[in-house]
Amino acid sequence: MSGGVETGRYPQDGADVARVTAEGAAWLASAGTYPRSTLTLWEERPAAPVVLPCGSVFDVVSVPAIFGRRMLDRLWDEGAGSGPVAVYRGRMLLFASPGTAHRLPTLLEWEEWGSPGRTGAVPPLLCHGAGDAVTVPAVLQTGGDSALEGGTRGSGEAGGSTPDAPGVARIGSRWLVAPDTRRPWLPGPEVLLWAAVRAARASASATVRVSIFPPPDQGAKVYDVSRRR
């Protein structure tokens, strides 16, 4: 899996990209003040989401789900790939390198891609960095296996939790691209700006209005019929 981490091209690896490994869980936990306590919690309750601080190990860029999907398409098909990606309450959480939350809004403003009313503008992005915290999905795997147990503990041994448990369904959080190493590749602000701009352009092209009338003849004379008696 090392090739996927270095390039960020997780989907091309042919692996289960939604599976959190023990190394990935350790990386997530390292963002908190008490990593060992977080790991212990996940060992006992692998279906429990956890709130982790941003700014030191990772930043998080929260994007509307549909626009985030378009960004991922660009990152995976044309760009450098992505780091870990999660879905939480209808938004996509893109894990990025520390400092991205501060830099990305500045780049968008400089390029004027966030200008209100602009055709194809990038929708508002919620950038979480130093001083912020985000809720990350649980490490519970499909079938009820805990990443911290290497798939040896079933959901019944973890208190009866399953992927369809009420606590998981209500929160609506899951991993699209789960962390699988202690040092995952994370995109920076320039990479995410590139993906956001291309996603915005694609969105604008897809929503171009189609008129039933032919385009106007630029050389034709225009008459003001409002003055006709």
Side-chain angles (χ1 to χ4, degrees):
M1 190 77 179
S2 60
V5 173
E6 293 172 1
T7 64
R9 293 183 179 276
Y10 289 90
Q12 282 72 17
D13 295 335
D16 181 4
V17 297
R19 177 182 177 85
V20 179
T21 65
E23 292 79 10
W27 173 74
L28 285 171
S30 70
T33 305
Y34 305 103
R36 298 180 69 177
S37 298
T38 300
L39 291 175
T40 299
L41 171 64
W42 274 330
E43 287 176 352
E44 298 174 352
R45 299 178 56 197
V50 172
V51 177
L52 294 176
C54 303
S56 59
V57 175
F58 54 75
D59 281 0
V60 171
V61 178
S62 176
V63 187
I66 295 178
F67 188 79
R69 182 76 259 180
R70 293 193 180 110
M71 287 182 64
L72 284 185
D73 288 343
R74 270 70 200 169
L75 287 169
W76 288 340
D77 296 339
E78 308 167 18
S82 75
V85 181
V87 173
Y88 182 73
R89 291 182 175 175
R91 294 186 69 87
M92 193 170 289
L93 307 181
L94 306 175
F95 285 69
S97 60
T100 297
H102 174 73
R103 180 66 175 157
L104 182 57
T106 302
L107 292 176
L108 285 170
E109 182 179 358
W110 179 264
E111 298 291 343
E112 297 185 352
W113 277 98
S115 300
R118 170 172 177 166
T119 302
V122 175
L125 307 181
L126 304 180
C127 299
H128 305 286
D132 300 325
V134 296
T135 300
V136 301
V139 297
L140 181 68
Q141 302 305 302
T142 301
D145 296 331
S146 169
L148 302 184
E149 293 296 324
T152 59
R153 177 191 293 182
S155 59
E157 299 176 12
S161 297
T162 68
D164 297 324
V168 177
R170 280 199 307 268
I171 293 174
S173 63
R174 63 190 177 94
W175 290 103
L176 292 181
V177 182
D180 65 345
T181 176
R182 289 179 181 269
R183 298 184 63 183
W185 181 86
L186 298 174
E190 292 81 6
V191 172
L192 293 183
L193 173 68
W194 175 89
V197 169
R198 277 157 180 74
R201 287 174 176 170
S203 177
S205 298
T207 57
V208 172
R209 295 181 179 179
V210 178
S211 176
I212 63 174
F213 299 102
D217 184 354
Q218 299 298 325
K221 295 182 179 179
V222 178
Y223 298 93
D224 185 2
V225 297
S226 64
R227 296 183 180 183
R228 185 174 55 183
R229 296 179 181 177

